[in-house]
Amino acid sequence: MQRLFRPRADLTDSNLPQWEYAILALTAAGVLHATWDNGRGRVTVDLRGAAGGIYSGRGKKLLRRVYGSRAQAPELAAEAARWQAFLSGKTPERERVWNGGVPLRWASGGVLPIVEQRGQTWALLFFRDIPPVGWNVANGASADAADWLNPARIIEREFAEETILLNQRPEPGQTVEQLLFADQRHILTADALRDHTALRREHDNLTLNESQQTRTIDWLATPLTVRVLDRAANDHTLTQECPNVLVTVNPAEMGLEVIRLGRFRLNNGEYLLDGEFHPWLQILTRRPVLLLSINWLHNQFQQHGTLGEQMPNDSKQLPPVPGEHYRLFDADIEARKTRLAIISQHLNKPLPEAERQRWSTEKRWCEGWLEQYAAAFQTPILLDPALRTLCPVTWKTLELAFAHQLLNQ
């Protein structure tokens, strides 16, 4: 426990074994406090008592082992539903306080991209193949103390890292242009883009050149602001506000997410690709990208008051999605097959043991994914349960956006 759960001061040490992020575990009651006043909501996150947290996926698994049964308890599911209703602004309550029960991981943030193409509006989602499995937003975790205080840093970084916009569909041996996103203040970029570009060249024989053009992303206004409180070295309180966001409380996975809505244009012929990779194994994640019709989702929500059937892990399962209501960007499925063939050939050669283990790990990942999911992506209708599942942060963000009528902007 002590090895994977570390004091707060240790979490940002990237030399820790298999370090991936720096996440605080907020364990005390009252760390989360939300209010509504004159149609404006404020969610206050108090970090002043946070003593420690986790730095890797192994630490996240540890939290699930220790708190898993409690996190899945019916009373916490009911509490999550009350928070979702409160944050939608549809309850008479003016104030709500988190009463604890399980730790909440801080900080995590990202973007639900809203894509305009051919006169239609789409939600851009990534297929997550680890629990909770399903369609996810572009999100990720804090890396340092500055991220804890200001989740806007995470929001912009994770979007820039994961949402790769190309001028055409990528094929092995090609050179394609990547368009970076820019808002009204600056170009959105991230250090990890260099590693992603290098991995695409090494693993896929694909050259990504940065285009001189950028694509504008417009952040949508929301009625919610997150305020973060932390303790400075001189014991004074630091305060940082992050406006125009949505917040989801997901106790089943001990998650607390701060999400922006960002709208951009996708031109005909352009292509969307996943930019995520495993940081210390240096393996591309290769998540298929989905555009899901906002009109279809909104109709589901209006007719049923929900986007789908609630699942035990707090995900929601959509009804079968007809082909005209989604667009799939699946180049990485073929790229995964090609990569698997290259790995298999390489493993037939004499290799040092450490290198053999690394290649074997990637081979198992490729084989397992293709065996479990490849066939499901070949149907003209999204029928497979996993491909109809929205992760908790995804459906909660969408339902909050519909409840506040934000996607009409």
Side-chain angles (χ1 to χ4, degrees), residues 181-383:
F181 292 94
D183 62 15
Q184 293 182 345
R185 297 184 301 115
H186 58 189
I187 295 175
L188 306 181
T189 188
D191 292 342
L193 286 176
R194 290 193 298 271
D195 289 336
H196 172 258
T197 297
L199 284 171
R200 288 291 177 181
R201 183 181 297 112
E202 178 186 349
H203 291 188
D204 294 351
N205 189 26
L206 176 67
T207 301
L208 302 183
N209 286 341
E210 183 179 320
S211 173
Q212 295 187 0
Q213 299 179 344
T214 59
R215 181 58 43 83
T216 300
I217 183 164
D218 296 314
W219 305 118
L220 275 61
T222 82
L224 284 169
T225 293
V226 166
R227 181 179 65 166
V228 183
L229 307 178
D230 204 356
R231 198 177 303 282
N234 59 7
D235 216 32
H236 291 172
T237 296
L238 300 171
T239 303
Q240 178 76 45
E241 291 201 342
C242 182
N244 294 316
V245 293
L246 296 173
V247 178
T248 70
V249 183
N250 314 312
E253 53 176 341
M254 290 165 274
L256 178 59
E257 302 268 359
V258 183
I259 304 297
R260 271 189 198 164
L261 304 177
R263 189 191 301 270
F264 71 87
R265 184 186 77 256
L266 184 69
N267 292 333
N268 290 341
E270 293 178 338
Y271 207 83
L272 295 164
L273 199 65
D274 174 30
E276 194 167 64
F277 58 91
H278 197 289
W280 52 271
L281 288 175
Q282 293 290 288
I283 296 174
L284 290 161
T285 307
R286 301 188 185 278
R287 298 173 300 172
V289 179
L290 180 75
L291 294 184
L292 193 53
S293 168
I294 288 292
N295 285 341
W296 185 82
L297 289 166
H298 191 217
N299 287 339
Q300 292 294 317
F301 186 68
Q302 281 190 316
Q303 291 175 20
H304 307 289
T306 177
L307 288 175
E309 178 186 356
Q310 188 92 34
M311 307 303 288
N313 67 351
D314 200 25
S315 297
K316 279 192 178 179
Q317 197 169 99
L318 298 166
V321 185
E324 65 268 26
H325 296 305
Y326 75 90
R327 290 193 61 211
L328 186 63
F329 295 80
D330 58 357
D332 258 330
I333 297 179
E334 289 304 313
R336 193 187 298 265
K337 295 175 182 177
T338 302
R339 177 66 177 166
L340 178 58
I342 293 171
I343 293 170
S344 299
Q345 290 179 353
H346 195 75
L347 285 171
N348 288 329
K349 305 174 184 177
L351 296 171
E353 185 57 29
E355 186 177 350
R356 178 169 295 277
Q357 288 183 4
R358 182 176 65 82
W359 283 81
S360 296
T361 296
E362 187 175 1
K363 182 174 185 284
R364 288 194 300 272
W365 281 22
C366 288
E367 289 175 334
W369 195 97
L370 290 169
E371 181 180 346
Q372 188 163 6
Y373 298 116
F377 279 93
Q378 304 308 309
T379 60
I381 298 174
L382 292 186
L383 289 174

Side-chain angles (χ1 to χ4, degrees), residues 3-23:
R3 189 166 59 91
L4 297 177
F5 191 93
R6 296 282 186 136
R8 174 173 173 156
D10 293 351
L11 295 175
T12 57
D13 180 5
S14 59
N15 293 316
L16 288 168
Q18 300 180 10
W19 183 90
E20 296 177 57
Y21 36 61
I23 294 178

Side-chain angles (χ1 to χ4, degrees), residues 125-143:
L125 305 172
F126 299 86
F127 184 68
R128 177 184 171 96
D129 59 8
I130 58 175
V133 171
W135 294 105
N136 201 22
V137 300
N139 65 341
S142 45

Side-chain angles (χ1 to χ4, degrees), residues 55-120:
Y55 64 88
S56 70
R58 295 181 305 151
K60 196 177 289 187
K61 290 178 182 176
L62 171 70
L63 288 182
R64 284 200 294 266
R65 286 200 304 270
V66 174
Y67 295 100
S69 59
R70 197 182 308 174
Q72 301 293 332
E75 55 268 27
L76 269 182
E79 179 68 2
R82 287 190 287 268
W83 271 92
Q84 179 73 5
F86 178 82
L87 293 169
S88 74
K90 303 304 181 186
T91 70
E93 294 177 281
R94 297 295 91 190
E95 182 176 18
R96 188 155 195 85
V97 178
W98 174 252
N99 293 319
V102 295
L104 294 176
R105 294 180 283 107
W106 183 265
S108 183
V111 174
L112 171 60
I114 306 300
V115 177
E116 300 283 356
Q117 188 187 43
R118 303 172 188 167
Q120 293 183 273

